[in-house]
Amino acid sequence: MSTLVTGEAVELSIQPAALAARALSCLIDYIVYTIVNVGLLIAMFWLLLRVLELNELLLGSVMTIMSLSVFVFLPMIIEVLTHGRSLGKLILGLRVVRDDGGAVRIRHSFIRAILWPFEILSTGGGIAALSGLVSAQSKRLGDYLAGTMAVSERSAPPLPVRTHVAPQLQNWLAQTDVAGLPEGLHRRIVQFLAMSENLGPESRWDRAKELATELNPYVAPAPPEGTLPEQFLSAIIHRLRAAEFDKQQRRSAQSRAFREGVDVLPHGLSLSR
Protein backbone atom coordinates (compact mmCIF):
# COMPACT_ATOMS: atom_id res chain seq x y z
CA MET A 1 0.00 0.00 0.00
CA SER A 2 1.32 3.48 -0.88
CA THR A 3 0.01 7.03 -0.87
CA LEU A 4 -0.91 9.25 -3.79
CA VAL A 5 -1.02 13.03 -3.40
CA THR A 6 -3.70 14.92 -5.33
CA GLY A 7 -3.45 18.45 -6.65
CA GLU A 8 -4.99 19.68 -3.38
CA ALA A 9 -2.22 17.94 -1.37
CA VAL A 10 -4.67 15.26 -0.18
CA GLU A 11 -3.14 11.84 0.39
CA LEU A 12 -4.97 8.80 -1.00
CA SER A 13 -4.21 5.22 -0.03
CA ILE A 14 -3.73 3.11 -3.13
CA GLN A 15 -2.36 -0.30 -4.06
CA PRO A 16 -0.22 -0.08 -7.23
CA ALA A 17 -0.62 -3.08 -9.49
CA ALA A 18 2.14 -5.64 -9.23
CA LEU A 19 4.38 -6.01 -12.27
CA ALA A 20 3.47 -9.70 -12.64
CA ALA A 21 -0.24 -8.85 -12.61
CA ARG A 22 0.28 -6.17 -15.24
CA ALA A 23 2.27 -8.58 -17.41
CA LEU A 24 -0.42 -11.26 -17.20
CA SER A 25 -3.11 -8.68 -17.94
CA CYS A 26 -1.12 -7.51 -20.96
CA LEU A 27 -0.74 -11.09 -22.19
CA ILE A 28 -4.50 -11.68 -21.97
CA ASP A 29 -5.21 -8.46 -23.86
CA TYR A 30 -2.62 -9.33 -26.51
CA ILE A 31 -4.17 -12.75 -27.12
CA VAL A 32 -7.67 -11.26 -27.38
CA TYR A 33 -6.63 -8.46 -29.73
CA THR A 34 -4.63 -10.88 -31.87
CA ILE A 35 -7.65 -13.17 -32.27
CA VAL A 36 -9.81 -10.18 -33.20
CA ASN A 37 -7.20 -8.91 -35.63
CA VAL A 38 -6.73 -12.28 -37.37
CA GLY A 39 -10.48 -12.76 -37.70
CA LEU A 40 -10.96 -9.30 -39.18
CA LEU A 41 -7.99 -9.70 -41.53
CA ILE A 42 -9.38 -12.95 -42.91
CA ALA A 43 -12.80 -11.42 -43.40
CA MET A 44 -11.37 -8.25 -44.96
CA PHE A 45 -9.05 -10.22 -47.23
CA TRP A 46 -11.97 -12.20 -48.60
CA LEU A 47 -14.15 -9.09 -48.95
CA LEU A 48 -11.60 -6.83 -50.62
CA LEU A 49 -9.83 -9.36 -52.82
CA ARG A 50 -12.73 -11.59 -53.84
CA VAL A 51 -15.70 -9.21 -53.81
CA LEU A 52 -14.27 -5.75 -54.50
CA GLU A 53 -11.28 -7.11 -56.46
CA LEU A 54 -8.78 -4.55 -55.16
CA ASN A 55 -5.14 -4.80 -56.11
CA GLU A 56 -2.62 -6.23 -53.66
CA LEU A 57 -1.01 -2.85 -52.86
CA LEU A 58 -4.30 -1.28 -51.81
CA LEU A 59 -5.26 -4.45 -49.99
CA GLY A 60 -2.05 -4.32 -47.96
CA SER A 61 -2.67 -0.68 -47.02
CA VAL A 62 -6.22 -1.43 -45.86
CA MET A 63 -5.06 -4.38 -43.76
CA THR A 64 -2.29 -2.31 -42.17
CA ILE A 65 -4.80 0.34 -41.18
CA MET A 66 -7.08 -2.34 -39.77
CA SER A 67 -4.33 -3.88 -37.68
CA LEU A 68 -3.40 -0.44 -36.38
CA SER A 69 -7.03 0.15 -35.44
CA VAL A 70 -7.28 -3.15 -33.56
CA PHE A 71 -4.07 -2.66 -31.56
CA VAL A 72 -4.36 1.10 -30.96
CA PHE A 73 -7.85 2.52 -31.32
CA LEU A 74 -9.76 -0.49 -30.00
CA PRO A 75 -7.82 -0.60 -26.69
CA MET A 76 -8.25 3.17 -26.37
CA ILE A 77 -12.01 2.99 -26.86
CA ILE A 78 -12.39 0.07 -24.45
CA GLU A 79 -10.32 1.82 -21.79
CA VAL A 80 -12.36 5.02 -22.05
CA LEU A 81 -15.74 3.26 -22.00
CA THR A 82 -14.82 1.03 -19.04
CA HIS A 83 -13.12 3.81 -17.06
CA GLY A 84 -9.63 2.35 -17.25
CA ARG A 85 -10.16 -1.37 -17.71
CA SER A 86 -9.66 -4.05 -20.34
CA LEU A 87 -10.47 -7.75 -20.34
CA GLY A 88 -7.11 -8.59 -18.77
CA LYS A 89 -7.46 -5.91 -16.12
CA LEU A 90 -11.02 -7.00 -15.36
CA ILE A 91 -9.89 -10.59 -14.77
CA LEU A 92 -7.01 -9.53 -12.51
CA GLY A 93 -8.83 -6.75 -10.66
CA LEU A 94 -6.77 -3.88 -12.08
CA ARG A 95 -7.71 -0.42 -13.27
CA VAL A 96 -5.84 2.47 -14.87
CA VAL A 97 -6.33 5.83 -13.16
CA ARG A 98 -4.79 9.26 -13.45
CA ASP A 99 -1.88 10.16 -11.19
CA ASP A 100 -4.31 12.20 -9.07
CA GLY A 101 -6.61 9.19 -8.65
CA GLY A 102 -9.29 10.30 -11.11
CA ALA A 103 -10.72 8.39 -14.05
CA VAL A 104 -8.74 8.37 -17.30
CA ARG A 105 -10.02 10.36 -20.26
CA ILE A 106 -9.57 10.08 -24.01
CA ARG A 107 -6.26 11.96 -23.97
CA HIS A 108 -4.71 9.62 -21.41
CA SER A 109 -5.96 6.48 -23.12
CA PHE A 110 -4.80 7.65 -26.55
CA ILE A 111 -1.24 8.27 -25.34
CA ARG A 112 -1.12 4.88 -23.63
CA ALA A 113 -2.60 3.12 -26.67
CA ILE A 114 -0.34 4.79 -29.24
CA LEU A 115 2.74 3.56 -27.32
CA TRP A 116 1.36 0.07 -26.71
CA PRO A 117 2.57 -1.41 -30.06
CA PHE A 118 6.04 0.06 -29.48
CA GLU A 119 6.37 -1.09 -25.85
CA ILE A 120 4.63 -4.45 -26.17
CA LEU A 121 4.40 -5.67 -29.76
CA SER A 122 7.73 -4.56 -31.21
CA THR A 123 9.84 -5.66 -28.23
CA GLY A 124 7.80 -8.54 -26.85
CA GLY A 125 7.02 -6.48 -23.76
CA GLY A 126 10.69 -5.92 -22.98
CA ILE A 127 10.57 -2.13 -22.79
CA ALA A 128 7.43 -2.16 -20.65
CA ALA A 129 8.96 -4.76 -18.33
CA LEU A 130 12.18 -2.79 -17.95
CA SER A 131 10.25 0.39 -17.20
CA GLY A 132 8.08 -1.45 -14.67
CA LEU A 133 11.10 -2.92 -12.90
CA VAL A 134 12.63 0.50 -12.22
CA SER A 135 9.30 2.11 -11.27
CA ALA A 136 7.99 1.93 -7.71
CA GLN A 137 4.46 1.91 -9.16
CA SER A 138 5.17 -0.54 -12.02
CA LYS A 139 4.62 2.16 -14.63
CA ARG A 140 5.38 1.66 -18.29
CA LEU A 141 6.43 4.47 -20.64
CA GLY A 142 2.86 5.10 -21.73
CA ASP A 143 1.91 5.69 -18.09
CA TYR A 144 4.70 8.20 -17.58
CA LEU A 145 3.77 10.20 -20.68
CA ALA A 146 0.00 10.02 -20.04
CA GLY A 147 0.23 10.71 -16.31
CA THR A 148 -1.49 7.45 -15.34
CA MET A 149 -0.87 4.33 -13.28
CA ALA A 150 -2.43 0.90 -12.83
CA VAL A 151 -3.88 0.12 -9.39
CA SER A 152 -5.27 -3.02 -7.79
CA GLU A 153 -8.93 -2.89 -6.78
CA ARG A 154 -8.71 -6.04 -4.68
CA SER A 155 -6.89 -4.43 -1.78
CA ALA A 156 -8.49 -3.90 1.62
CA PRO A 157 -11.31 -1.31 1.61
CA PRO A 158 -10.70 2.04 3.33
CA LEU A 159 -11.92 2.80 6.83
CA PRO A 160 -15.64 3.57 7.25
CA VAL A 161 -16.74 7.17 6.81
CA ARG A 162 -19.79 9.05 8.01
CA THR A 163 -22.58 9.08 5.43
CA HIS A 164 -25.68 11.24 5.17
CA VAL A 165 -28.96 10.77 3.34
CA ALA A 166 -30.62 13.98 2.14
CA PRO A 167 -34.28 14.22 3.25
CA GLN A 168 -35.57 14.31 -0.33
CA LEU A 169 -33.84 10.98 -1.03
CA GLN A 170 -35.34 8.99 1.87
CA ASN A 171 -38.32 7.58 -0.05
CA TRP A 172 -36.26 6.85 -3.14
CA LEU A 173 -33.54 5.10 -1.15
CA ALA A 174 -36.07 2.83 0.58
CA GLN A 175 -36.98 1.25 -2.78
CA THR A 176 -33.58 1.38 -4.43
CA ASP A 177 -31.85 -1.76 -5.63
CA VAL A 178 -28.05 -1.73 -5.86
CA ALA A 179 -27.25 -4.80 -7.94
CA GLY A 180 -23.72 -6.10 -8.31
CA LEU A 181 -21.80 -2.97 -7.35
CA PRO A 182 -18.13 -3.77 -8.06
CA GLU A 183 -15.92 -3.84 -4.98
CA GLY A 184 -13.39 -1.55 -6.61
CA LEU A 185 -15.99 1.12 -7.35
CA HIS A 186 -17.39 0.77 -3.83
CA ARG A 187 -13.91 1.30 -2.38
CA ARG A 188 -13.22 4.35 -4.55
CA ILE A 189 -16.52 5.98 -3.58
CA VAL A 190 -15.84 5.44 0.12
CA GLN A 191 -12.34 6.82 -0.31
CA PHE A 192 -13.71 9.90 -2.08
CA LEU A 193 -16.27 10.55 0.66
CA ALA A 194 -13.52 10.24 3.27
CA MET A 195 -11.32 12.92 1.72
CA SER A 196 -13.91 15.08 -0.13
CA GLU A 197 -13.81 17.90 2.44
CA ASN A 198 -10.11 18.40 1.73
CA LEU A 199 -10.61 18.85 -2.02
CA GLY A 200 -11.12 22.13 -3.82
CA PRO A 201 -14.71 22.89 -4.95
CA GLU A 202 -14.06 22.27 -8.65
CA SER A 203 -12.04 19.09 -8.11
CA ARG A 204 -14.59 17.81 -5.59
CA TRP A 205 -17.46 18.37 -8.03
CA ASP A 206 -15.63 16.76 -10.95
CA ARG A 207 -14.63 13.67 -8.94
CA ALA A 208 -18.13 13.24 -7.52
CA LYS A 209 -19.64 13.57 -10.99
CA GLU A 210 -17.23 10.96 -12.42
CA LEU A 211 -18.05 8.45 -9.69
CA ALA A 212 -21.80 9.12 -9.87
CA THR A 213 -21.77 8.51 -13.62
CA GLU A 214 -19.93 5.23 -13.09
CA LEU A 215 -22.27 4.21 -10.26
CA ASN A 216 -25.53 5.01 -12.05
CA PRO A 217 -25.83 1.77 -14.12
CA TYR A 218 -25.77 -0.32 -10.93
CA VAL A 219 -28.64 1.54 -9.26
CA ALA A 220 -32.36 1.19 -10.00
CA PRO A 221 -34.41 3.29 -10.06
CA ALA A 222 -32.25 6.30 -10.85
CA PRO A 223 -32.08 9.05 -8.22
CA PRO A 224 -34.64 11.87 -8.40
CA GLU A 225 -33.93 14.67 -10.83
CA GLY A 226 -31.82 17.39 -9.30
CA THR A 227 -29.90 15.08 -6.96
CA LEU A 228 -26.34 16.28 -6.48
CA PRO A 229 -23.63 13.72 -7.34
CA GLU A 230 -22.17 13.65 -3.82
CA GLN A 231 -25.65 13.23 -2.31
CA PHE A 232 -26.17 10.27 -4.61
CA LEU A 233 -22.87 8.66 -3.61
CA SER A 234 -23.42 9.18 0.12
CA ALA A 235 -26.96 7.78 0.00
CA ILE A 236 -25.91 4.60 -1.81
CA ILE A 237 -23.01 3.92 0.56
CA HIS A 238 -25.41 4.49 3.47
CA ARG A 239 -27.84 1.99 1.94
CA LEU A 240 -25.11 -0.62 1.44
CA ARG A 241 -23.91 -0.23 5.01
CA ALA A 242 -27.44 -0.56 6.36
CA ALA A 243 -27.95 -3.72 4.30
CA GLU A 244 -24.65 -5.17 5.55
CA PHE A 245 -25.58 -4.35 9.15
CA ASP A 246 -28.97 -6.06 8.74
CA LYS A 247 -27.25 -9.10 7.26
CA GLN A 248 -24.85 -9.31 10.20
CA GLN A 249 -27.77 -8.97 12.65
CA ARG A 250 -29.63 -11.84 10.97
CA ARG A 251 -26.52 -14.02 11.05
CA SER A 252 -26.02 -13.27 14.75
CA ALA A 253 -29.66 -14.12 15.50
CA GLN A 254 -29.38 -17.40 13.58
CA SER A 255 -26.15 -18.24 15.40
CA ARG A 256 -27.74 -17.56 18.81
CA ALA A 257 -30.78 -19.65 17.92
CA PHE A 258 -28.54 -22.51 16.81
CA ARG A 259 -26.51 -22.40 20.03
CA GLU A 260 -29.67 -22.31 22.15
CA GLY A 261 -31.01 -25.32 20.27
CA VAL A 262 -27.80 -27.27 20.78
CA ASP A 263 -27.77 -26.51 24.52
CA VAL A 264 -31.24 -28.02 25.05
CA LEU A 265 -31.38 -31.81 25.45
CA PRO A 266 -34.33 -33.76 23.98
CA HIS A 267 -37.18 -35.34 25.97
CA GLY A 268 -36.84 -32.88 28.84
CA LEU A 269 -33.45 -34.18 30.00
CA SER A 270 -31.32 -31.86 32.09
CA LEU A 271 -27.63 -31.03 31.81
CA SER A 272 -27.27 -30.83 35.62
CA ARG A 273 -25.94 -33.78 37.55
Side-chain angles (χ1 to χ4, degrees):
M1 188 74 67
S2 61
T3 58
L4 179 152
V5 181
T6 68
E8 292 82 9
V10 178
E11 290 189 353
L12 304 179
S13 296
I14 60 169
Q15 179 64 53
L19 182 59
R22 294 205 65 178
L24 183 55
S25 169
C26 179
L27 177 61
I28 294 172
D29 291 338
Y30 172 74
I31 292 174
V32 171
Y33 293 139
T34 299
I35 292 174
V36 172
N37 187 49
V38 170
L40 289 177
L41 287 179
I42 293 174
M44 189 60 64
F45 179 85
W46 179 84
L47 177 65
L48 296 180
L49 192 61
R50 299 295 182 86
V51 178
L52 300 180
E53 297 182 353
L54 298 180
N55 60 60
E56 293 184 1
L57 180 60
L58 184 57
L59 179 63
S61 300
V62 172
M63 289 188 168
T64 300
I65 294 174
M66 177 167 292
S67 296
L68 183 65
S69 300
V70 170
F71 286 105
V72 175
F73 295 106
L74 181 59
M76 180 191 73
I77 293 172
I78 291 176
E79 191 167 274
V80 171
L81 294 179
T82 59
H83 305 284
R85 306 190 92 167
S86 63
L87 180 59
K89 293 181 179 65
L90 177 64
I91 293 174
L92 296 173
L94 308 181
R95 182 185 297 272
V96 175
V97 299
R98 300 196 307 263
D99 281 341
D100 64 358
V104 293
R105 299 190 174 125
I106 294 179
R107 173 174 60 86
H108 308 96
S109 296
F110 176 75
I111 294 175
R112 285 170 42 80
I114 202 69
L115 288 174
W116 201 78
F118 168 70
E119 291 188 72
I120 307 299
L121 301 184
S122 63
T123 63
I127 293 180
L130 181 60
S131 176
L133 285 173
V134 299
S135 170
Q137 298 172 333
S138 300
K139 286 190 173 190
R140 64 179 179 88
L141 295 182
D143 290 317
Y144 281 111
L145 293 179
T148 60
M149 62 181 296
V151 298
S152 173
E153 294 193 312
R154 292 177 180 169
S155 56
L159 295 176
V161 295
R162 182 176 300 176
T163 55
H164 172 72
V165 180
Q168 69 271 21
L169 299 181
Q170 295 282 356
N171 293 334
W172 164 76
L173 192 62
Q175 58 183 351
T176 300
D177 178 34
V178 184
L181 180 65
E183 178 61 32
L185 176 57
H186 184 187
R187 184 177 59 83
R188 285 185 289 123
I189 293 174
V190 172
Q191 189 174 59
F192 164 75
L193 294 175
M195 56 83 176
S196 60
E197 294 182 355
N198 299 321
L199 296 175
E202 184 176 353
S203 178
R204 181 173 179 173
W205 172 265
D206 290 342
R207 191 70 56 78
K209 189 175 180 180
E210 287 177 356
L211 291 171
T213 301
E214 193 173 347
L215 172 64
N216 194 58
Y218 300 100
V219 178
E225 186 175 354
T227 301
L228 297 178
E230 194 166 337
Q231 291 179 334
F232 177 38
L233 299 175
S234 181
I236 291 301
I237 296 302
H238 184 89
R239 172 63 184 274
L240 291 173
R241 286 184 174 172
E244 183 62 27
F245 178 78
D246 291 341
K247 184 186 297 184
Q248 291 178 355
Q249 291 293 96
R250 289 194 299 269
R251 288 177 178 173
S252 298
Q254 292 172 354
S255 178
R256 286 195 300 269
F258 175 77
R259 289 196 301 268
E260 291 172 359
V262 170
D263 291 340
V264 176
L265 293 177
H267 308 299
L269 298 177
S270 175
L271 290 174
S272 62
R273 294 182 179 179

Coordinates of all heavy atoms in Angstrom, one line a residue, residues 225-257:
E225 N -34.6 13.6 -10.1 CA -33.9 14.7 -10.8 C -33.5 15.8 -9.9 O -34.2 16.2 -9.0 CB -34.9 15.2 -11.9 CG -34.3 16.2 -12.8 CD -35.3 16.6 -13.9 OE1 -36.4 16.0 -14.0 OE2 -35.0 17.5 -14.7
G226 N -32.3 16.3 -10.1 CA -31.8 17.4 -9.3 C -30.9 16.9 -8.2 O -30.4 17.8 -7.4
T227 N -30.8 15.6 -8.0 CA -29.9 15.1 -7.0 C -28.4 15.4 -7.3 O -28.0 15.2 -8.4 CB -30.1 13.5 -6.8 OG1 -31.4 13.2 -6.5 CG2 -29.2 13.0 -5.7
L228 N -27.7 16.0 -6.3 CA -26.3 16.3 -6.5 C -25.5 15.0 -6.5 O -25.9 14.0 -5.8 CB -25.9 17.2 -5.4 CG -26.5 18.6 -5.3 CD1 -26.0 19.4 -4.1 CD2 -26.3 19.3 -6.6
P229 N -24.4 14.9 -7.3 CA -23.6 13.7 -7.3 C -23.2 13.2 -6.0 O -23.2 12.0 -5.7 CB -22.4 14.1 -8.2 CG -23.0 15.2 -9.1 CD -23.9 16.0 -8.2
E230 N -22.7 14.1 -5.1 CA -22.2 13.7 -3.8 C -23.3 13.2 -2.9 O -23.1 12.2 -2.1 CB -21.4 14.8 -3.1 CG -20.6 14.3 -2.0 CD -19.6 15.4 -1.5 OE1 -19.2 16.2 -2.3 OE2 -19.1 15.3 -0.3
Q231 N -24.5 13.7 -3.0 CA -25.6 13.2 -2.3 C -26.0 11.8 -2.7 O -26.3 10.9 -1.9 CB -26.9 14.1 -2.5 CG -26.8 15.5 -1.9 CD -28.0 16.3 -2.2 OE1 -28.7 16.2 -3.2 NE2 -28.3 17.3 -1.3
F232 N -25.9 11.6 -4.0 CA -26.2 10.3 -4.6 C -25.2 9.2 -4.1 O -25.6 8.2 -3.6 CB -26.1 10.4 -6.1 CG -26.3 9.1 -6.9 CD1 -27.2 8.1 -6.5 CD2 -25.5 8.9 -8.0 CE1 -27.3 7.0 -7.2 CE2 -25.7 7.7 -8.8 CZ -26.6 6.7 -8.3
L233 N -23.9 9.6 -4.1 CA -22.9 8.7 -3.6 C -23.1 8.3 -2.1 O -23.0 7.2 -1.7 CB -21.5 9.3 -3.8 CG -21.1 9.6 -5.3 CD1 -19.8 10.3 -5.3 CD2 -21.1 8.3 -6.1
S234 N -23.3 9.4 -1.3 CA -23.4 9.2 0.1 C -24.6 8.3 0.4 O -24.6 7.4 1.3 CB -23.5 10.5 0.8 OG -23.6 10.4 2.2
A235 N -25.7 8.5 -0.3 CA -27.0 7.8 0.0 C -26.8 6.3 -0.3 O -27.2 5.4 0.4 CB -28.1 8.4 -0.8
I236 N -26.1 6.0 -1.4 CA -25.9 4.6 -1.8 C -25.0 3.9 -0.8 O -25.2 2.7 -0.4 CB -25.4 4.5 -3.3 CG1 -26.4 5.0 -4.2 CG2 -24.9 3.1 -3.6 CD1 -27.7 4.2 -4.2
I237 N -23.9 4.5 -0.4 CA -23.0 3.9 0.6 C -23.7 3.7 1.9 O -23.6 2.7 2.5 CB -21.8 4.8 0.8 CG1 -20.9 4.9 -0.5 CG2 -20.9 4.2 1.9 CD1 -20.5 3.5 -1.1
H238 N -24.6 4.7 2.3 CA -25.4 4.5 3.5 C -26.3 3.3 3.3 O -26.5 2.5 4.3 CB -26.2 5.8 3.7 CG -27.0 5.7 5.0 ND1 -26.5 6.2 6.2 CD2 -28.3 5.3 5.2 CE1 -27.5 6.0 7.1 NE2 -28.5 5.5 6.6
R239 N -26.9 3.1 2.2 CA -27.8 2.0 1.9 C -27.1 0.7 2.0 O -27.5 -0.3 2.6 CB -28.5 2.1 0.6 CG -29.3 0.9 0.1 CD -30.5 0.7 1.0 NE -31.2 -0.5 0.7 CZ -32.2 -0.5 -0.3 NH1 -32.6 0.6 -0.9 NH2 -32.8 -1.6 -0.5
L240 N -25.9 0.6 1.4 CA -25.1 -0.6 1.4 C -24.7 -1.0 2.9 O -24.7 -2.1 3.2 CB -23.9 -0.5 0.5 CG -24.2 -0.4 -1.0 CD1 -22.9 -0.1 -1.7 CD2 -24.8 -1.7 -1.5
R241 N -24.3 0.0 3.6 CA -23.9 -0.2 5.0 C -25.1 -0.7 5.8 O -24.9 -1.6 6.7 CB -23.3 1.0 5.6 CG -21.9 1.4 5.1 CD -21.4 2.5 5.8 NE -20.0 2.8 5.4 CZ -19.3 3.8 5.8 NH1 -19.8 4.7 6.5 NH2 -18.1 4.0 5.4
A242 N -26.3 -0.1 5.6 CA -27.4 -0.6 6.4 C -27.8 -2.0 6.0 O -28.1 -2.8 6.9 CB -28.6 0.4 6.0
A243 N -27.7 -2.4 4.7 CA -27.9 -3.7 4.3 C -26.9 -4.7 4.9 O -27.3 -5.8 5.3 CB -27.9 -3.8 2.8
E244 N -25.7 -4.3 5.0 CA -24.6 -5.2 5.5 C -24.9 -5.3 7.1 O -24.7 -6.4 7.6 CB -23.3 -4.6 5.3 CG -22.1 -5.4 5.8 CD -22.0 -6.8 5.1 OE1 -22.5 -6.9 4.0 OE2 -21.5 -7.7 5.8
F245 N -25.3 -4.3 7.7 CA -25.6 -4.4 9.1 C -26.8 -5.3 9.4 O -26.7 -6.1 10.3 CB -25.9 -3.0 9.7 CG -26.2 -2.9 11.2 CD1 -25.3 -3.1 12.1 CD2 -27.6 -2.8 11.6 CE1 -25.6 -3.0 13.5 CE2 -27.9 -2.8 12.9 CZ -26.9 -2.9 13.9
D246 N -27.8 -5.2 8.6 CA -29.0 -6.1 8.7 C -28.6 -7.5 8.5 O -29.0 -8.4 9.2 CB -30.1 -5.7 7.8 CG -30.7 -4.3 8.1 OD1 -30.6 -3.9 9.3 OD2 -31.3 -3.7 7.2
K247 N -27.7 -7.7 7.5 CA -27.2 -9.1 7.3 C -26.5 -9.7 8.5 O -26.7 -10.8 8.8 CB -26.4 -9.1 6.0 CG -25.9 -10.5 5.6 CD -25.0 -10.5 4.4 CE -25.6 -9.9 3.2 NZ -24.7 -9.9 2.0
Q248 N -25.6 -8.9 9.0 CA -24.9 -9.3 10.2 C -25.8 -9.6 11.4 O -25.6 -10.5 12.1 CB -23.8 -8.3 10.6 CG -22.7 -8.1 9.6 CD -21.7 -7.0 9.9 OE1 -21.9 -6.3 10.9 NE2 -20.6 -6.9 9.1
Q249 N -26.8 -8.8 11.6 CA -27.8 -9.0 12.6 C -28.5 -10.3 12.5 O -28.7 -11.0 13.4 CB -28.8 -7.8 12.7 CG -28.2 -6.5 13.2 CD -27.7 -6.5 14.6 OE1 -26.5 -6.8 14.9 NE2 -28.6 -6.3 15.5
R250 N -28.9 -10.6 11.2 CA -29.6 -11.8 11.0 C -28.7 -13.0 11.2 O -29.1 -14.1 11.8 CB -30.2 -11.9 9.5 CG -31.3 -10.9 9.3 CD -32.0 -11.2 8.0 NE -31.1 -11.1 6.8 CZ -30.9 -10.0 6.1 NH1 -31.6 -8.9 6.5 NH2 -30.1 -9.9 5.1
R251 N -27.5 -12.9 10.8 CA -26.5 -14.0 11.1 C -26.3 -14.2 12.5 O -26.2 -15.4 13.0 CB -25.2 -13.7 10.4 CG -25.2 -13.8 8.8 CD -23.9 -13.4 8.2 NE -23.9 -13.6 6.8 CZ -22.9 -13.2 6.0 NH1 -21.8 -12.6 6.6 NH2 -23.0 -13.3 4.7
S252 N -26.2 -13.1 13.3 CA -26.0 -13.3 14.7 C -27.2 -13.9 15.4 O -27.1 -14.8 16.3 CB -25.8 -11.9 15.4 OG -24.6 -11.3 14.9
A253 N -28.4 -13.5 14.9 CA -29.7 -14.1 15.5 C -29.7 -15.6 15.2 O -30.1 -16.4 16.0 CB -30.9 -13.4 14.9
Q254 N -29.4 -16.0 13.9 CA -29.4 -17.4 13.6 C -28.3 -18.2 14.4 O -28.6 -19.3 14.8 CB -29.1 -17.5 12.1 CG -30.2 -17.0 11.2 CD -29.8 -17.0 9.7 OE1 -28.7 -17.3 9.4 NE2 -30.8 -16.7 8.9
S255 N -27.2 -17.6 14.6 CA -26.2 -18.2 15.4 C -26.6 -18.4 16.8 O -26.4 -19.5 17.4 CB -24.9 -17.4 15.4 OG -23.8 -18.0 16.1
R256 N -27.3 -17.4 17.4 CA -27.7 -17.6 18.8 C -28.8 -18.6 18.9 O -28.8 -19.4 19.8 CB -28.3 -16.2 19.3 CG -27.2 -15.2 19.6 CD -27.8 -14.1 20.4 NE -28.9 -13.4 19.7 CZ -28.7 -12.4 18.9 NH1 -27.5 -11.9 18.7 NH2 -29.7 -11.8 18.3
A257 N -29.7 -18.6 17.9 CA -30.8 -19.6 17.9 C -30.2 -21.1 17.8 O -30.7 -22.0 18.4 CB -31.8 -19.4 16.8

